Amino acid sequence: MRDSLPIVVGAAPFGLLFGALAVENGFEVYQAVLMSAMLYAGASQMVGIDLFGTNVAPWIIVLSIFAVNFRHVLYSASIGPKMAGFSPLQKAIAFFFMIDPQFAEAEQRHERGQRLSFRWYMGAALPVYVAWTAEAAIGAYFGKLIKDPYAYGIDFMLPMYFLVLVMSFRRRKNWMPVVLASGVASVIAHHLVGSPWHVSIGAIAGIVLAAIMAGGDKKPETIEPDAEGVQHVR
């Protein structure tokens, strides 16, 4: 549960912002709360409230949300084999609660050589889920008090939190070229293809480069502490 505190703090502005924007886009308060509780995917929820009520065909809305959340397929492929003690039902539950920070925290725990148990996973996930749902309600009730949420820049806090998460993996082999390739591909895709496809295209570009650079290296990564006790993946 202690590991969830930074996630709760980092996601709070985003959760409040979603509640405020949902009401601004014609949602009732209970609808905003239900969307947060049942979909539980911040970026997809933002895409949804932008597209619901427009003349966009339903299949385009579904496809757009799929594009935004395609990265979760990659997350599952990476973290799934590390859930060795999870039953199939526990894995299904864990994947529902797997948001970006949860995935990053689980990966870091595995890199530190600590066991990835279902008890630890849900202890970190549930406080974030409860807080996220409550923030949607608070944002929906009180969001109208803030005339222009974007003017305060609070929507920028979650991307900053994601940047910190990415930096925490900087000691991984080939980290810099993979991050650069993913970022450049995402920017180019945003200009040529548009949102939300740039998210998936950037992720795929990074994965492809990582696979190419890994090449025939069969030696698994190991975690070794340096003289100061800081752990490095080698």
Side-chain angles (χ1 to χ4, degrees), residues 107-114 171-173 217-226 230-234:
E107 282 284 339
Q108 287 186 324
R109 182 176 177 84
H110 182 266
E111 281 195 3
R112 291 194 297 267
Q114 296 175 299
R171 292 190 179 89
R172 278 192 171 185
K173 187 179 180 182
D217 185 7
K218 302 296 184 183
K219 183 181 179 181
E221 291 183 337
T222 58
I223 302 172
E224 298 176 4
D226 59 18
V230 179
Q231 293 181 325
H232 299 269
V233 178
R234 304 180 189 283

Side-chain angles (χ1 to χ4, degrees), residues 50-67:
D50 276 341
L51 297 180
F52 291 156
T54 64
N55 293 324
V56 176
W59 68 269
I60 293 181
I61 298 176
V62 173
L63 200 59
S64 298
I65 291 177
F66 175 80

Side-chain angles (χ1 to χ4, degrees), residues 146-196:
I146 302 175
K147 299 301 181 184
D148 183 7
Y150 292 107
Y152 295 88
I154 56 177
D155 56 313
F156 194 62
M157 292 186 68
L158 195 62
M160 289 300 295
Y161 179 69
F162 286 150
L163 181 61
V164 172
L165 290 178
V166 172
M167 291 298 296
S168 67
F169 291 102
R170 65 189 180 281
R171 292 190 179 89
R172 278 192 171 185
K173 187 179 180 182
N174 300 329
W175 177 85
M176 180 59 77
V178 170
V179 169
L180 286 176
S182 183
V184 170
S186 181
V187 170
I188 293 174
H190 188 271
H191 285 284
L192 298 180
V193 185
S195 178

Side-chain angles (χ1 to χ4, degrees), residues 4-119:
S4 69
L5 184 58
I7 306 175
V8 170
V9 174
F14 201 51
L16 295 170
L17 180 65
F18 166 75
L21 293 179
V23 171
E24 189 176 303
N25 281 273
F27 279 51
E28 299 291 339
V29 173
Y30 79 92
Q31 291 174 327
V33 174
L34 279 178
M35 191 173 182
S36 278
M38 299 179 70
L39 191 56
Y40 191 43
S44 295
Q45 290 175 222
M46 290 296 187
V47 171
I49 61 174
D50 276 341
L51 297 180
F52 291 156
T54 64
N55 293 324
V56 176
W59 68 269
I60 293 181
I61 298 176
V62 173
L63 200 59
S64 298
I65 291 177
F66 175 80
V68 170
N69 268 351
F70 179 76
R71 66 191 188 283
H72 285 264
V73 176
L74 309 177
Y75 290 169
S76 302
S78 174
I79 205 69
K82 298 162 188 169
M83 297 175 171
F86 287 37
S87 68
L89 177 61
Q90 288 175 332
K91 277 191 176 182
I93 295 171
F95 288 150
F96 172 77
F97 288 102
M98 191 176 64
I99 57 176
D100 302 89
Q102 179 77 21
F103 166 75
E105 290 290 343
E107 282 284 339
Q108 287 186 324
R109 182 176 177 84
H110 182 266
E111 281 195 3
R112 291 194 297 267
Q114 296 175 299
R115 180 170 171 261
L116 193 60
S117 66
F118 184 70
R119 181 178 179 182

